[in-house]
Amino acid sequence: MHLVCLDLEGVLVPEIWIAFSEATGIPELRRTTRDEPDYDKLMRFRLDLLEKKGLKLHDIQNVIDKMDVLPGALEFTEKLRERTQFIILSDTYEEFAKPLMKKLHYPTLFCNSLECSADGNITGYKLRQKNGKQSAVRALASLNMEIFAAGDSFNDLAMIREAKAGCLFRAPETIRNECADLPCVDTYDELLREIDRFLTPS
């Protein structure tokens, strides 16, 4: 049985922290997993900055409510559903993702959760599990699933390499250069062709 595992931000929806950075005028919040391989370091930086600026969960959710999926993403996922099943493996948070999942017609999502105080301050985060994307692919493979994985950031590389096949999608040059052994595509049509080759090998 085949299964496709996709990253969320940068693949199907815009980067949430970049959108929040633009909405608040705080350029430091533009830093994402495309730039910083150490996820804990990145999140501690973000949470410290939110505290200094007095920003709370609802401030981020208000921005997310106005966001839409990337152009062509919904059509891509509908075509993908016709071919096989897919799961989104993301390092985002339940508290961020729900409005965007509605716009993608509620695909299955594995992600993390936030820890918040009673007044809405984000005090920490709880990983679903360590190395969650790679671990999910490994667990699914143990059920005799043949998995194709795609993502755009440093935190997607282990997932892609753990899968039977996969590719980078709209990855920045730094990641493309470091991972020249991985194919990289830039459009949904190209991504579908990669998936079709995986589903129907010659």
Side-chain angles (χ1 to χ4, degrees), residues 7 23-24 45 56 84 103 108 123 145 157 161 165 168 170:
D7 179 36
T24 58
F45 170 78
K56 301 186 178 185
T84 189
K103 293 176 182 180
T108 299
T123 57
M145 299 280 192
L157 297 178
R161 296 192 187 282
L168 296 166
R170 296 178 181 169

Side-chain angles (χ1 to χ4, degrees), residues 109-126:
L109 169 69
F110 294 177
C111 65
N112 303 313
S113 57
L114 292 170
E115 297 172 341
C116 297
S117 63
D119 60 356
N121 286 313
I122 303 175
T123 57
Y125 66 96
K126 184 177 180 181

Side-chain angles (χ1 to χ4, degrees), residues 78-197:
E78 294 299 328
K79 290 177 182 177
L80 183 56
R81 287 179 200 272
E82 294 172 1
R83 290 162 164 79
T84 189
Q85 298 182 70
F86 78 94
I87 293 175
I88 297 174
L89 302 180
S90 176
D91 281 335
T92 193
Y93 304 96
E94 294 178 90
E95 296 82 359
F96 290 179
K98 286 181 181 179
L100 297 168
M101 291 303 97
K102 181 178 181 180
K103 293 176 182 180
L104 286 170
H105 297 173
Y106 296 108
T108 299
L109 169 69
F110 294 177
C111 65
N112 303 313
S113 57
L114 292 170
E115 297 172 341
C116 297
S117 63
D119 60 356
N121 286 313
I122 303 175
T123 57
Y125 66 96
K126 184 177 180 181
L127 295 179
R128 184 176 51 80
Q129 67 181 134
K130 189 175 181 180
N131 302 318
K133 295 184 182 187
Q134 181 185 25
S135 298
V137 170
R138 185 176 296 157
L140 291 164
S142 76
L143 301 175
N144 291 328
M145 299 280 192
E146 294 191 355
I147 298 165
F148 181 99
D152 70 323
S153 298
F154 282 109
N155 64 337
D156 297 314
L157 297 178
M159 167 181 78
I160 295 170
R161 296 192 187 282
E162 188 72 35
K164 183 172 182 179
C167 69
L168 296 166
F169 181 74
R170 296 178 181 169
E173 287 301 319
T174 50
I175 296 177
R176 294 180 196 232
N177 293 337
E178 288 187 27
C179 305
D181 60 310
L182 295 176
C184 185
V185 298
D186 294 294
T187 70
Y188 291 122
D189 285 343
E190 290 173 325
L191 182 53
L192 276 175
R193 283 196 289 271
E194 291 289 328
I195 293 169
D196 283 340
R197 277 194 282 270

